[in-house]
Amino acid sequence: MQNLEGNKWYRGRERLFVAVDCVIFGFDQGVLKLLVFKRAVEPLKGEWSLIGSFIQEEENANEAAKRVLKEITGLDDIFMEELKTYSKVDRDPGARCVSISQYALIKIEEYDKELVEQHGAFWFAVDSLPSLVLDHNQMVVDALEHLRHKVQFYPIGFELLPHRFTIPQLQSLYEEIFQKKLDTRNFRKKFFSLDLLNKTTEKDKSSSKKGAYLYQFDLKKYNTLQQSGFNFLLLKK
Amino acid sequence: MQNLEGNKWYRGRERLFVAVDCVIFGFDQGVLKLLVFKRAVEPLKGEWSLIGSFIQEEENANEAAKRVLKEITGLDDIFMEELKTYSKVDRDPGARCVSISQYALIKIEEYDKELVEQHGAFWFAVDSLPSLVLDHNQMVVDALEHLRHKVQFYPIGFELLPHRFTIPQLQSLYEEIFQKKLDTRNFRKKFFSLDLLNKTTEKDKSSSKKGAYLYQFDLKKYNTLQQSGFNFLLLKK
DNA sequence: TATAATAAATGTAAAAAATACATTTATTAT
DNA sequence: ATAATAAATGTATTTTTTACATTTATTATA
């Protein structure tokens, strides 16, 4: 980093605390959940909060968020994107602090349950969240809105499902995200027409006698299609 | 602001410079343009740049961006939204600085031309921009991608047009944004079916002998429709 | 004052996509 | 063998999208 002495441009400018906060979604048995965190330290000890961190010297915002996610869940290599910046002057009564929210979609059966417990983190259904500190409830509302929009145009739903999943699981994910029942026949027709699912020969019999075939999302095919101007667009209405 | 002495939480945390940078779009005679700025002061004097500012003590990011926009263009009450945060450690060689990009859509005939000139700002067609400082070209690329997406789902195109505009103007705006010729008949049919345009009795004869009727966007109607789960969705492909 | 020139405005038929809707199938437990 | 359960499937109707060419209003000029 360059020596700033004598550089009028930076001299006297305010510097702010800059944090990231992670909105971590999981999909558990038909329910969309969020990982929230009971603060063990002051300030705001004992209150529910998203998981966050100040940005450190040697990392950018996304790296900070990934670091936090790794610390809490043990998970690496997760779908995570910046959402929005929260910069209201008084949003944090402790100090002037800007927070960059990042949302993550995780496969709920893969995270390290012990680690999560150690960090005082819990899963809540998104529709029955407790009151969170600062503007964290707003962050969740914004993240949900974004998720609902984005999931229609990009195949990110798979990030919330196991590597192999059934069509009923996939449908229930979309039903949960859109808060709307979908027709089985039309859902399948639509999804199969996209030609992005590979059927395996195995069935998941955990929720029926007949069992439902397991499928995998074909990311390579998607990438190829997308490059040629393909539109994922799942639901019109 | 609370006294932080004794508050372990903040003590020793790094503080960063936080700036906003404005990606200002305008639509001028069929061409999508961007307002860029020749720096008059060090550092990077003489180079092309987006217009930005450090966030000040008493303002949030959006307020900072609106302040800048007002200073440069004289315009108030402009469509402006946060886009993305740029936080790479070395993005600014002068100091560790995070920038929040904000994009604005302005009606190009309304800004204060003298003010703009005074500030060394110029309009460039987006497809022939000069090289900009830091990661500002990336900001523009990201803003364009966002604009292309958003304009399909939200009626923000009108922010770039005069209050009253013709259908040919509207169509050329979409053609310019999507970089694609559209069919006049289908374009009109689609737009009229949305029922969001009010036809006036006046014509604009500046580009044809016959003249084209002037229309206005009906924001109230849009708001009502949107609340009842309406989908703007302009183009499928 | 007729004609040429110019961009604006319009309609229809065919193809594709979305929707509504009910039965059969595979398997397990009794 | 039968009952129970969730998975899987097909078709007809409606809606939306697409492709495509001519007429209209006006001004300038011959």
Side-chain angles (χ1 to χ4, degrees):
Chain A
M1 202 62 43
Q2 203 174 295
N3 183 355
L4 299 178
E5 273 186 80
N7 188 329
K8 277 209 292 200
W9 187 248
Y10 300 99
R11 200 188 305 143
R13 307 294 188 178
E14 195 185 9
R15 288 189 224 208
L16 313 179
F17 291 106
V18 182
V20 294
D21 283 301
C22 303
V23 185
I24 303 172
F25 290 103
F27 183 62
D28 190 17
Q29 296 176 166
V31 180
L32 192 62
K33 293 187 172 173
L34 209 73
L35 193 60
V36 299
F37 180 79
K38 191 153 209 160
R39 286 182 61 98
V41 296
E42 294 296 348
L44 303 167
K45 184 172 169 173
E47 296 203 45
W48 293 108
S49 156
L50 295 178
I51 289 158
S53 167
F54 290 101
I55 291 186
Q56 295 177 3
E57 217 174 306
E58 74 294 337
E59 65 188 6
N60 67 26
N62 192 253
E63 286 159 359
K66 293 210 155 166
R67 169 175 54 76
V68 172
L69 198 70
K70 172 88 182 185
E71 279 168 21
I72 305 294
T73 64
L75 293 172
D76 242 339
D77 200 32
I78 283 301
F79 178 89
M80 186 160 220
E81 282 191 336
E82 176 182 330
L83 241 193
K84 232 181 120 177
T85 306
Y86 296 80
S87 60
K88 267 199 193 140
V89 173
D90 294 320
R91 58 175 291 280
D92 185 334
R96 178 72 201 270
C97 180
V98 168
S99 178
I100 301 164
S101 72
Q102 310 251 346
Y103 75 105
L105 305 180
I106 78 172
K107 302 185 197 303
I108 207 155
E109 73 286 354
E110 288 184 359
Y111 72 92
D112 182 330
K113 293 184 176 61
E114 247 178 72
L115 253 184
V116 161
E117 212 171 291
Q118 277 169 36
H119 284 89
F122 298 87
W123 289 101
F124 280 86
V126 291
D127 59 5
S128 50
L129 280 186
S131 178
L132 307 175
V133 301
L134 310 183
D135 46 10
H136 287 193
N137 285 99
Q138 187 59 48
M139 288 181 184
V140 174
V141 167
D142 293 342
L144 261 171
E145 189 191 327
H146 179 85
L147 179 62
R148 290 198 172 111
H149 184 85
K150 179 135 186 168
V151 86
Q152 292 183 68
F153 306 108
Y154 301 93
I156 58 173
F158 302 105
E159 306 288 344
L160 287 163
L161 292 175
H163 186 57
R164 303 199 308 168
F165 51 85
T166 67
I167 305 294
Q169 267 183 298
L170 183 64
Q171 184 175 338
S172 85
L173 171 65
Y174 282 95
E175 289 180 336
E176 172 73 358
I177 292 177
F178 297 137
Q179 289 289 299
K180 188 181 175 180
K181 281 280 165 204
L182 302 173
D183 179 87
T184 328
R185 289 158 288 185
N186 294 339
F187 182 83
R188 282 171 186 265
K189 205 185 314 169
K190 177 75 198 187
F191 238 109
F192 291 150
S193 79
L194 298 174
D195 192 26
L196 291 170
L197 301 181
N198 293 326
K199 192 175 186 173
T200 70
T201 53
E202 266 178 274
K203 283 182 161 186
D204 168 10
K205 295 199 170 167
S206 65
S207 67
S208 79
K209 289 159 185 165
K210 182 176 177 179
Y213 280 104
L214 287 163
Y215 290 79
Q216 289 178 242
F217 172 60
D218 192 332
L219 180 61
K220 269 189 202 153
K221 213 182 265 172
Y222 172 72
N223 285 336
T224 312
L225 282 170
Q226 205 194 24
Q227 275 161 24
S228 53
F230 161 85
N231 196 339
F232 181 70
L233 200 49
L234 193 59
L235 300 174
K236 188 71 192 298
K237 276 185 198 158
Chain B
M1 204 61 43
Q2 204 175 293
N3 182 354
L4 299 178
E5 273 186 78
N7 188 328
K8 276 209 289 200
W9 186 249
Y10 299 98
R11 199 186 306 141
R13 306 296 188 177
E14 194 185 11
R15 286 190 226 208
L16 313 179
F17 291 106
V18 181
V20 295
D21 283 300
C22 303
V23 185
I24 304 171
F25 290 102
F27 182 63
D28 189 17
Q29 298 179 162
V31 180
L32 192 62
K33 293 187 173 174
L34 209 73
L35 194 58
V36 300
F37 180 80
K38 192 154 210 161
R39 286 183 62 98
V41 296
E42 294 296 347
L44 303 168
K45 184 171 170 176
E47 297 204 43
W48 294 107
S49 156
L50 295 178
I51 289 157
S53 167
F54 290 101
I55 291 186
Q56 295 176 4
E57 217 173 307
E58 73 294 338
E59 66 187 5
N60 67 27
N62 192 253
E63 287 159 0
K66 292 210 156 166
R67 171 175 53 75
V68 172
L69 198 69
K70 171 87 181 185
E71 280 168 19
I72 306 292
T73 65
L75 294 172
D76 241 340
D77 199 33
I78 283 303
F79 177 89
M80 186 162 221
E81 281 190 337
E82 177 183 331
L83 241 194
K84 234 181 119 179
T85 306
Y86 296 79
S87 61
K88 267 200 194 137
V89 174
D90 292 320
R91 60 175 290 280
D92 185 334
R96 178 74 200 268
C97 180
V98 168
S99 178
I100 302 165
S101 72
Q102 311 250 346
Y103 75 104
L105 304 181
I106 79 171
K107 302 186 197 303
I108 206 155
E109 73 286 354
E110 288 183 358
Y111 73 92
D112 182 330
K113 292 183 177 61
E114 245 178 76
L115 253 184
V116 160
E117 210 171 295
Q118 276 170 35
H119 284 88
F122 298 86
W123 290 100
F124 281 86
V126 292
D127 59 6
S128 50
L129 282 185
S131 178
L132 308 174
V133 302
L134 309 184
D135 45 12
H136 289 193
N137 285 99
Q138 187 60 48
M139 289 182 183
V140 174
V141 167
D142 294 342
L144 261 172
E145 188 191 326
H146 179 86
L147 179 63
R148 291 200 170 111
H149 184 86
K150 179 137 187 168
V151 87
Q152 291 183 70
F153 306 109
Y154 301 94
I156 57 173
F158 304 105
E159 306 289 345
L160 287 164
L161 292 175
H163 186 55
R164 303 198 308 166
F165 50 85
T166 66
I167 305 295
Q169 267 184 298
L170 184 63
Q171 182 175 339
S172 86
L173 171 65
Y174 282 95
E175 289 179 336
E176 171 73 356
I177 293 177
F178 297 137
Q179 288 290 300
K180 188 182 173 178
K181 281 281 165 203
L182 302 173
D183 179 86
T184 330
R185 288 157 290 185
N186 294 338
F187 182 82
R188 281 169 188 264
K189 203 186 314 166
K190 177 76 200 189
F191 238 110
F192 291 151
S193 78
L194 298 172
D195 192 28
L196 292 170
L197 300 182
N198 293 326
K199 191 174 185 172
T200 70
T201 53
E202 264 178 276
K203 283 181 162 187
D204 169 9
K205 296 198 172 170
S206 65
S207 68
S208 79
K209 289 159 185 168
K210 182 176 179 180
Y213 279 105
L214 287 162
Y215 289 79
Q216 288 178 241
F217 173 60
D218 191 331
L219 181 61
K220 269 189 200 151
K221 211 181 264 171
Y222 172 72
N223 286 334
T224 312
L225 283 170
Q226 202 193 28
Q227 274 161 25
S228 54
F230 161 86
N231 198 339
F232 180 72
L233 199 51
L234 192 60
L235 299 176
K236 190 68 192 305
K237 276 184 199 157

